[in-house]
Amino acid sequence: MNDLTRASLGFFAAFAIHDAEELVTMAPSSRRVLARVPKWAPIPDDLRMRGLSQTHVNVGIGIMAALVATASVAGVRTEGRSVWFRGGLLAFGAHGFIHLATAVAAREYTTGVATSPTIVIPFWLWARRVLRRNGIREHDAKSIAVAVSVLPLILGTHVFTRLILGKKSAANIPVRGRRRNG
């Protein structure tokens, strides 16, 4: 197996390790995080008060896993030249820094920050070196456009998951002494 194949398959492996952390920590920490989001942000009240349900997290991560798996396969098939793979890889690396910034801003642990400096960013730096050694630019207009599209894609994944699950997107925890179904 050559380095381009390792980088392409490694993208999904690094994502899986990172998202395993998110799978375990996102639902429990989302109530605190969503409660601190400015009131002008269009977050449904039930999510703001109770956070995300584990089902919502599972579905959202599953959707993203399918997209990252597709990008990884495209990377293998094109020997790293796929714009979907290169843009996804760029977004993956950048999102690692976003996790770090979020933890600094919150002054506490936030979901994804443990594996960002240990898995996400080191893998991204290594994969970039592999692409460069093979004469492939990670940063061109098309791959940057794909990378930039990832933020609305992540938000869209949460919205789509909410549409699928409805009120089951919110954690089923007591609010103000009452137990709400959801």
Side-chain angles (χ1 to χ4, degrees):
M1 179 182 313
N2 67 35
D3 277 351
L4 288 169
T5 301
R6 274 192 279 286
S8 298
L9 295 175
F11 177 31
F12 184 76
F15 165 85
I17 294 167
H18 173 68
D19 272 38
E21 176 192 359
E22 292 185 337
L23 190 66
V24 171
T25 63
M26 189 181 294
S29 67
S30 67
R31 181 178 187 193
R32 178 181 34 78
V33 171
L34 291 174
R36 292 170 68 180
V37 172
K39 296 293 181 198
W40 54 261
I43 296 172
D45 287 341
D46 60 336
L47 296 181
R48 192 179 295 275
M49 290 187 311
R50 296 186 282 148
L52 299 172
S53 68
Q54 189 62 49
T55 301
H56 180 102
V57 172
N58 296 349
V59 171
I61 287 175
I63 291 168
M64 289 305 296
L67 296 171
V68 173
T70 301
S72 292
V73 168
V76 171
R77 292 180 63 203
T78 63
E79 296 183 327
R81 287 169 176 77
S82 161
V83 69
W84 181 243
F85 167 71
R86 292 180 297 116
L89 183 64
L90 177 58
F92 184 65
H95 115 280
F97 290 102
I98 293 169
H99 276 297
L100 296 177
T102 302
V104 168
R107 290 187 240 154
E108 63 185 359
Y109 171 86
T110 56
T111 298
V113 75
T115 52
S116 287
T118 58
I119 302 294
V120 174
I121 295 168
F123 171 77
W124 173 62
L125 293 171
W126 172 79
R128 289 182 67 196
R129 284 191 300 273
V130 168
L131 291 175
R132 274 196 306 267
R133 266 197 319 264
N134 286 277
I136 302 168
R137 290 181 46 194
E138 178 194 26
H139 301 76
D140 62 16
K142 289 181 180 178
S143 64
I144 291 170
V146 169
V148 168
S149 73
V150 170
L151 180 58
L153 180 63
I154 291 169
L155 294 174
T157 298
H158 280 291
V159 169
F160 182 68
T161 301
R162 172 71 177 200
L163 290 172
I164 293 170
L165 297 176
K167 295 290 185 180
K168 291 181 181 176
S169 277
N172 192 12
I173 60 172
V175 176
R176 296 187 190 113
R178 294 187 328 243
R179 181 160 183 91
R180 291 189 180 179
N181 293 331

